Amino acid sequence: MSAVVRRQEQASTGKPQGRDRYATALGVIAVLEALTFLTASLLHLGTHIPVLGITGEKFPGAVIPEALIGFVMLAGAVVVLAAPRRAWAVAVGTHVFAAAGTCVGISVVLSGVQHRPAADSIYHFTILAVLVAMIAVLARGRTRAALKRPA
């Protein structure tokens, strides 16, 4: 059931029709994106993450930017999950912020100033593709309807 149809039913019956699963899915995806940035930040401290079976390589210059992006994405995800009818602008803003930050990260990785493992490039290009795909999804009418207040 689309968000528009759900709003029309709610308006006609006066009863809420439940949480929009589409908005919930978008919020969960944003949480997962945020967790990748926070994990990358930990790995840049040289942390060993037993669950993933990996140990990061120290790169202190990336710790704070990736943590910041992760926390901004996490805050945006909370807004999407807690108040989806007010969340469209927040979701777009956090994804654009993360994509811009990722582009800065890519420029650092490609600058060759310090040798970076191939995993750094793979992560940055992969998460950038995911972020751009999510921005495209957020631009769709269906997404705007799910993440905006009813008119």
Side-chain angles (χ1 to χ4, degrees):
M1 178 182 305
S2 78
V4 174
V5 171
R6 187 177 355 274
R7 275 193 227 124
Q8 289 170 347
E9 285 181 8
Q10 184 175 347
S12 65
T13 64
K15 296 179 185 176
Q17 297 298 315
R19 187 160 174 78
D20 189 313
R21 290 183 185 152
Y22 189 71
T24 301
L26 292 169
V28 169
I29 291 168
V31 167
L32 295 173
E33 292 166 334
L35 290 176
T36 70
F37 281 103
L38 295 172
T39 301
S41 178
L42 285 174
L43 290 171
H44 284 309
L45 285 171
T47 307
H48 176 69
I49 302 177
V51 174
L52 299 176
I54 55 176
T55 300
E57 190 174 302
K58 288 189 178 195
F59 185 42
V63 173
I64 291 173
E66 287 185 339
L68 178 63
I69 293 169
F71 284 121
V72 167
M73 289 294 298
L74 194 56
V78 167
V79 171
V80 170
L81 291 169
R85 296 287 174 244
R86 298 183 180 100
W88 184 77
V90 171
V92 170
T94 57
H95 279 82
V96 168
F97 173 78
T102 302
C103 288
V104 171
I106 288 171
S107 70
V108 170
V109 169
L110 295 179
S111 71
V113 172
Q114 181 179 356
H115 170 70
R116 303 295 333 131
D120 252 2
S121 295
I122 292 168
Y123 170 72
H124 281 90
F125 283 110
T126 302
I127 195 65
L128 181 61
V130 170
L131 292 167
V132 169
M134 282 299 293
I135 292 167
V137 167
L138 289 165
R140 294 180 55 227
R142 165 72 172 100
T143 308
R144 283 193 304 272
L147 298 179
K148 279 194 168 182
R149 278 185 223 179

